[in-house]
Amino acid sequence: TYTKMATVSLGFNIDSPRWDQSTFVGRLKHFLNITDPRTVLVPEEELDRAKALVEGCRAGLVPPGSSQEQLLYAKKLYDSAFHPDSGEKMNLIGRMSFQVPGGMAITGCMLQFYRTVPAVVFWQWVNQSFNAFVNYTNRNAASPISLRQIGVAYVTATGAALATAVGLNLYTKRAPPLLARWVPFAAVAAANCVNIPMMRQQEIINGITVTDENNNELGHSRRAAVKGIAQVVLSRITMAAPGMIILPVIMEQLEKFTFMQRIRVLHGPLQVLLCGGFLLFMVPAACALFPQR
C-alpha cells in the first residue's frame, strides 16, 4: 500500500517548519496551526491515520496519490495530538488545542463567580486541576516524574492559588469593585509560579538534554532547564493576562447599563464567550513568545 514519494515536491521534509521559527511571527503562524481548537473534534481513528502517514513520510513512503496538502494536514493533526518528544498520544484535556474550549469555560466562571469564598475555592480548584493535566501532559518526556511528585506539585499549586484568591478576596471587600474582579488573575499567576516548576522539578534537578543544530547531544544542563521553565511560566501568565485583566474592565462598564442588569443570568455565558475570543489569539501568541527548542 506504500510507494516511494512521488506526488510531493522534491526535497519535501514533513518535519521541516513551514514558517521561520526564529521569528515571533513565524512561531505565531505555527502555533495558530497546531492549537486550532477544531482539532479536538477529530476522531481518534483519524489521528492515528495521521500519525501513520507522518511516520511513513519520515521513512520516505506515502500512500499512492497523497498530496503535499494532505501530508501537511496530517502533520497538523499529529502535532496537535501527539507529544513532540515521545510521540505518544496526549490526553484530550492536556492538549494545547484544548486550551481555548477548556480555558474559556473555566476562566469565564472564575471571572463570573468571584464574590463568595466557596465559589472562589471551587473554581480555583477546578482551574488548578486543569492546569495540572496540561503541565503533566506537556512535560519533558525525557525527565520522568513520580506520582508522589505530581501530587505534591498539585497540592502546592492549589494551595498557593486558594491562599492568594481567598486572601485577596477578603482584602478587597472594601476596595473598588474592579480590584475584586482582578483577584482571579492574581491567583492564577501565583499558582503558575508554583505549579509548573514543581511539576517539572526533575528537569531542574537533573538538567535537560542540550543539542547542537544537527540534533547531536552535547550533554545536560540545569541552567537550560531553569531558563526553559521560567519561559513556560511567563508564557502561561501572558496567555491568561489579557482576558483576565481587560475583560473585568469591560464587564464593569457593561453592567452599568440597564439592559445588562435585566439579563444577569447571561453574564456568565457572555464572559465565557468573551474569554474564548481572547484565548483564540492568546494561546498561540503566548506559545510563540519563545523558541521551543
Side-chain angles (χ1 to χ4, degrees), residues 240-275:
M244 300 190 80
I245 292 176
I246 299 173
L247 186 51
V249 177
I250 295 174
M251 291 302 297
E252 186 76 9
Q253 296 304 312
L254 286 177
E255 288 176 4
K256 294 178 181 178
F257 292 104
T258 304
F259 80 94
M260 283 293 288
Q261 295 171 6
R262 293 173 180 168
I263 57 170
R264 289 188 180 276
V265 69
L266 297 179
H267 288 193
L270 175 61
Q271 294 209 73
V272 168
L273 288 175
L274 290 174
C275 281

Short mmCIF file of all heavy atoms in Angstrom, two decimals, residues 240-275:
data_model
loop_
_atom_site.label_atom_id
_atom_site.label_comp_id
_atom_site.label_asym_id
_atom_site.label_seq_id
_atom_site.Cartn_x
_atom_site.Cartn_y
_atom_site.Cartn_z
N ALA A 240 -3.05 34.09 29.96
CA ALA A 240 -4.27 34.40 30.72
C ALA A 240 -4.48 35.90 30.92
O ALA A 240 -5.62 36.34 31.12
CB ALA A 240 -4.19 33.72 32.10
N ALA A 241 -3.41 36.69 30.86
CA ALA A 241 -3.47 38.09 31.28
C ALA A 241 -4.49 38.95 30.55
O ALA A 241 -5.33 39.60 31.20
CB ALA A 241 -2.07 38.72 31.19
N PRO A 242 -4.48 39.02 29.21
CA PRO A 242 -5.42 39.95 28.55
C PRO A 242 -6.88 39.70 28.91
O PRO A 242 -7.61 40.63 29.26
CB PRO A 242 -5.16 39.71 27.06
CG PRO A 242 -3.76 39.23 27.01
CD PRO A 242 -3.60 38.37 28.23
N GLY A 243 -7.30 38.43 28.84
CA GLY A 243 -8.68 38.12 29.15
C GLY A 243 -9.04 38.42 30.60
O GLY A 243 -10.11 38.96 30.89
N MET A 244 -8.13 38.08 31.52
CA MET A 244 -8.45 38.22 32.94
C MET A 244 -8.21 39.64 33.47
O MET A 244 -8.65 39.97 34.58
CB MET A 244 -7.63 37.21 33.76
CG MET A 244 -7.91 35.77 33.38
SD MET A 244 -7.18 34.57 34.50
CE MET A 244 -8.38 34.59 35.85
N ILE A 245 -7.55 40.48 32.69
CA ILE A 245 -7.34 41.87 33.10
C ILE A 245 -8.28 42.81 32.35
O ILE A 245 -8.89 43.71 32.95
CB ILE A 245 -5.87 42.30 32.85
CG1 ILE A 245 -4.94 41.54 33.81
CG2 ILE A 245 -5.71 43.80 33.04
CD1 ILE A 245 -3.46 41.82 33.59
N ILE A 246 -8.42 42.61 31.04
CA ILE A 246 -9.25 43.51 30.23
C ILE A 246 -10.73 43.19 30.36
O ILE A 246 -11.57 44.10 30.46
CB ILE A 246 -8.82 43.45 28.74
CG1 ILE A 246 -7.36 43.90 28.61
CG2 ILE A 246 -9.73 44.32 27.89
CD1 ILE A 246 -6.79 43.71 27.22
N LEU A 247 -11.08 41.91 30.38
CA LEU A 247 -12.49 41.52 30.44
C LEU A 247 -13.21 42.05 31.69
O LEU A 247 -14.35 42.53 31.58
CB LEU A 247 -12.62 40.00 30.35
CG LEU A 247 -14.04 39.43 30.24
CD1 LEU A 247 -14.84 40.12 29.13
CD2 LEU A 247 -13.99 37.93 30.00
N PRO A 248 -12.59 42.02 32.88
CA PRO A 248 -13.26 42.62 34.04
C PRO A 248 -13.57 44.11 33.85
O PRO A 248 -14.61 44.60 34.31
CB PRO A 248 -12.26 42.41 35.17
CG PRO A 248 -11.52 41.17 34.79
CD PRO A 248 -11.38 41.27 33.30
N VAL A 249 -12.69 44.84 33.16
CA VAL A 249 -12.95 46.26 32.88
C VAL A 249 -14.16 46.40 31.97
O VAL A 249 -15.02 47.26 32.19
CB VAL A 249 -11.70 46.90 32.23
CG1 VAL A 249 -11.99 48.37 31.87
CG2 VAL A 249 -10.50 46.80 33.15
N ILE A 250 -14.22 45.54 30.95
CA ILE A 250 -15.35 45.57 30.01
C ILE A 250 -16.66 45.27 30.74
O ILE A 250 -17.67 45.97 30.58
CB ILE A 250 -15.14 44.56 28.87
CG1 ILE A 250 -13.93 44.98 28.02
CG2 ILE A 250 -16.39 44.44 28.00
CD1 ILE A 250 -13.55 43.96 26.96
N MET A 251 -16.65 44.20 31.56
CA MET A 251 -17.87 43.81 32.28
C MET A 251 -18.28 44.87 33.29
O MET A 251 -19.48 45.14 33.48
CB MET A 251 -17.66 42.47 32.97
CG MET A 251 -17.54 41.29 32.03
SD MET A 251 -18.98 41.05 30.95
CE MET A 251 -20.27 40.70 32.17
N GLU A 252 -17.30 45.50 33.92
CA GLU A 252 -17.60 46.56 34.90
C GLU A 252 -18.37 47.70 34.23
O GLU A 252 -19.31 48.25 34.83
CB GLU A 252 -16.28 47.09 35.49
CG GLU A 252 -16.46 48.09 36.61
CD GLU A 252 -16.88 47.45 37.93
OE1 GLU A 252 -16.87 46.21 38.03
OE2 GLU A 252 -17.23 48.20 38.85
N GLN A 253 -18.01 48.02 33.00
CA GLN A 253 -18.70 49.10 32.28
C GLN A 253 -20.06 48.63 31.74
O GLN A 253 -21.05 49.35 31.82
CB GLN A 253 -17.82 49.59 31.12
CG GLN A 253 -16.51 50.23 31.55
CD GLN A 253 -16.72 51.39 32.51
OE1 GLN A 253 -17.55 52.28 32.27
NE2 GLN A 253 -15.99 51.38 33.62
N LEU A 254 -20.08 47.39 31.21
CA LEU A 254 -21.33 46.87 30.65
C LEU A 254 -22.42 46.75 31.70
O LEU A 254 -23.60 47.01 31.42
CB LEU A 254 -21.10 45.51 29.98
CG LEU A 254 -20.38 45.49 28.64
CD1 LEU A 254 -20.18 44.06 28.17
CD2 LEU A 254 -21.17 46.28 27.59
N GLU A 255 -22.06 46.34 32.90
CA GLU A 255 -23.05 46.09 33.95
C GLU A 255 -23.71 47.36 34.46
O GLU A 255 -24.65 47.30 35.25
CB GLU A 255 -22.40 45.31 35.09
CG GLU A 255 -22.11 43.86 34.71
CD GLU A 255 -21.39 43.10 35.81
OE1 GLU A 255 -21.19 43.68 36.89
OE2 GLU A 255 -21.02 41.93 35.58
N LYS A 256 -23.23 48.51 34.00
CA LYS A 256 -23.86 49.79 34.38
C LYS A 256 -25.10 50.06 33.54
O LYS A 256 -25.94 50.88 33.91
CB LYS A 256 -22.86 50.93 34.22
CG LYS A 256 -21.69 50.86 35.19
CD LYS A 256 -20.71 52.00 34.95
CE LYS A 256 -19.51 51.91 35.90
NZ LYS A 256 -18.52 52.99 35.65
N PHE A 257 -25.21 49.36 32.40
CA PHE A 257 -26.37 49.56 31.52
C PHE A 257 -27.58 48.81 32.06
O PHE A 257 -27.46 47.70 32.60
CB PHE A 257 -26.06 49.08 30.10
CG PHE A 257 -25.04 49.93 29.39
CD1 PHE A 257 -23.73 49.48 29.25
CD2 PHE A 257 -25.37 51.18 28.87
CE1 PHE A 257 -22.78 50.24 28.59
CE2 PHE A 257 -24.42 51.95 28.21
CZ PHE A 257 -23.13 51.48 28.07
N THR A 258 -28.75 49.40 31.88
CA THR A 258 -29.99 48.81 32.39
C THR A 258 -30.27 47.44 31.78
O THR A 258 -30.67 46.50 32.47
CB THR A 258 -31.17 49.75 32.10
OG1 THR A 258 -30.90 51.03 32.66
CG2 THR A 258 -32.46 49.20 32.70
N PHE A 259 -30.04 47.30 30.47
CA PHE A 259 -30.35 46.02 29.82
C PHE A 259 -29.47 44.90 30.35
O PHE A 259 -29.90 43.75 30.42
CB PHE A 259 -30.22 46.16 28.30
CG PHE A 259 -28.81 46.10 27.78
CD1 PHE A 259 -28.26 44.90 27.34
CD2 PHE A 259 -28.03 47.25 27.74
CE1 PHE A 259 -26.98 44.84 26.86
CE2 PHE A 259 -26.73 47.20 27.26
CZ PHE A 259 -26.20 45.99 26.83
N MET A 260 -28.24 45.23 30.75
CA MET A 260 -27.36 44.22 31.31
C MET A 260 -27.81 43.80 32.71
O MET A 260 -27.65 42.64 33.10
CB MET A 260 -25.92 44.74 31.37
CG MET A 260 -25.20 44.74 30.03
SD MET A 260 -24.91 43.07 29.39
CE MET A 260 -23.62 42.50 30.51
N GLN A 261 -28.39 44.71 33.44
CA GLN A 261 -28.89 44.40 34.78
C GLN A 261 -30.13 43.50 34.71
O GLN A 261 -30.43 42.77 35.65
CB GLN A 261 -29.21 45.69 35.53
CG GLN A 261 -27.97 46.54 35.79
CD GLN A 261 -28.29 47.93 36.34
OE1 GLN A 261 -29.44 48.23 36.62
NE2 GLN A 261 -27.27 48.76 36.47
N ARG A 262 -30.82 43.53 33.57
CA ARG A 262 -32.01 42.70 33.39
C ARG A 262 -31.67 41.27 32.98
O ARG A 262 -32.51 40.38 33.12
CB ARG A 262 -32.93 43.33 32.33
CG ARG A 262 -33.55 44.65 32.75
CD ARG A 262 -34.30 45.27 31.58
NE ARG A 262 -34.90 46.55 31.93
CZ ARG A 262 -35.40 47.41 31.04
NH1 ARG A 262 -35.39 47.08 29.74
NH2 ARG A 262 -35.93 48.54 31.43
N ILE A 263 -30.49 41.09 32.46
CA ILE A 263 -30.11 39.74 31.95
C ILE A 263 -28.90 39.20 32.71
O ILE A 263 -27.95 38.67 32.12
CB ILE A 263 -29.82 39.79 30.43
CG1 ILE A 263 -28.71 40.81 30.12
CG2 ILE A 263 -31.07 40.08 29.64
CD1 ILE A 263 -28.19 40.73 28.69
N ARG A 264 -28.95 39.31 34.02
CA ARG A 264 -27.81 38.85 34.84
C ARG A 264 -27.50 37.38 34.63
O ARG A 264 -26.35 36.95 34.73
CB ARG A 264 -28.10 39.11 36.33
CG ARG A 264 -28.07 40.59 36.70
CD ARG A 264 -28.17 40.80 38.20
NE ARG A 264 -28.14 42.21 38.55
CZ ARG A 264 -27.01 42.92 38.70
NH1 ARG A 264 -25.85 42.33 38.49
NH2 ARG A 264 -27.06 44.19 39.03
N VAL A 265 -28.52 36.60 34.32
CA VAL A 265 -28.32 35.16 34.13
C VAL A 265 -27.41 34.88 32.93
O VAL A 265 -26.80 33.81 32.84
CB VAL A 265 -29.67 34.45 33.96
CG1 VAL A 265 -30.32 34.82 32.63
CG2 VAL A 265 -29.51 32.94 34.07
N LEU A 266 -27.30 35.84 32.02
CA LEU A 266 -26.48 35.66 30.82
C LEU A 266 -25.06 36.20 30.98
O LEU A 266 -24.25 36.07 30.06
CB LEU A 266 -27.14 36.34 29.61
CG LEU A 266 -28.52 35.79 29.20
CD1 LEU A 266 -29.05 36.56 28.00
CD2 LEU A 266 -28.41 34.30 28.87
N HIS A 267 -24.76 36.81 32.14
CA HIS A 267 -23.42 37.37 32.33
C HIS A 267 -22.35 36.29 32.28
O HIS A 267 -21.27 36.51 31.71
CB HIS A 267 -23.36 38.12 33.67
CG HIS A 267 -24.13 39.40 33.67
ND1 HIS A 267 -24.01 40.36 34.65
CD2 HIS A 267 -25.05 39.89 32.79
CE1 HIS A 267 -24.82 41.37 34.38
NE2 HIS A 267 -25.46 41.10 33.27
N GLY A 268 -22.63 35.14 32.88
CA GLY A 268 -21.66 34.05 32.89
C GLY A 268 -21.36 33.55 31.48
O GLY A 268 -20.20 33.52 31.06
N PRO A 269 -22.40 33.15 30.70
CA PRO A 269 -22.16 32.71 29.32
C PRO A 269 -21.46 33.78 28.48
O PRO A 269 -20.62 33.45 27.63
CB PRO A 269 -23.56 32.41 28.79
CG PRO A 269 -24.35 32.07 30.01
CD PRO A 269 -23.80 32.93 31.11
N LEU A 270 -21.80 35.05 28.71
CA LEU A 270 -21.16 36.13 27.95
C LEU A 270 -19.66 36.18 28.25
O LEU A 270 -18.83 36.33 27.35
CB LEU A 270 -21.82 37.47 28.30
CG LEU A 270 -21.18 38.71 27.66
CD1 LEU A 270 -21.26 38.62 26.13
CD2 LEU A 270 -21.87 39.99 28.17
N GLN A 271 -19.30 36.05 29.53
CA GLN A 271 -17.88 36.09 29.89
C GLN A 271 -17.13 34.89 29.34
O GLN A 271 -15.97 34.99 28.94
CB GLN A 271 -17.72 36.16 31.41
CG GLN A 271 -18.24 37.44 32.01
CD GLN A 271 -17.51 37.83 33.30
OE1 GLN A 271 -16.37 38.26 33.28
NE2 GLN A 271 -18.18 37.67 34.43
N VAL A 272 -17.80 33.74 29.31
CA VAL A 272 -17.17 32.55 28.73
C VAL A 272 -16.86 32.78 27.25
O VAL A 272 -15.75 32.48 26.78
CB VAL A 272 -18.08 31.32 28.90
CG1 VAL A 272 -17.58 30.15 28.06
CG2 VAL A 272 -18.15 30.90 30.38
N LEU A 273 -17.83 33.33 26.51
CA LEU A 273 -17.62 33.58 25.09
C LEU A 273 -16.54 34.62 24.86
O LEU A 273 -15.69 34.46 23.96
CB LEU A 273 -18.94 34.05 24.44
CG LEU A 273 -20.02 32.99 24.28
CD1 LEU A 273 -21.31 33.61 23.75
CD2 LEU A 273 -19.56 31.88 23.34
N LEU A 274 -16.52 35.67 25.66
CA LEU A 274 -15.50 36.71 25.50
C LEU A 274 -14.12 36.17 25.85
O LEU A 274 -13.13 36.51 25.20
CB LEU A 274 -15.85 37.92 26.38
CG LEU A 274 -17.07 38.73 25.93
CD1 LEU A 274 -17.40 39.81 26.94
CD2 LEU A 274 -16.82 39.36 24.56
N CYS A 275 -14.05 35.30 26.87
CA CYS A 275 -12.78 34.66 27.20
C CYS A 275 -12.28 33.83 26.02
O CYS A 275 -11.07 33.81 25.72
CB CYS A 275 -12.94 33.75 28.42
SG CYS A 275 -12.96 34.62 29.99
#
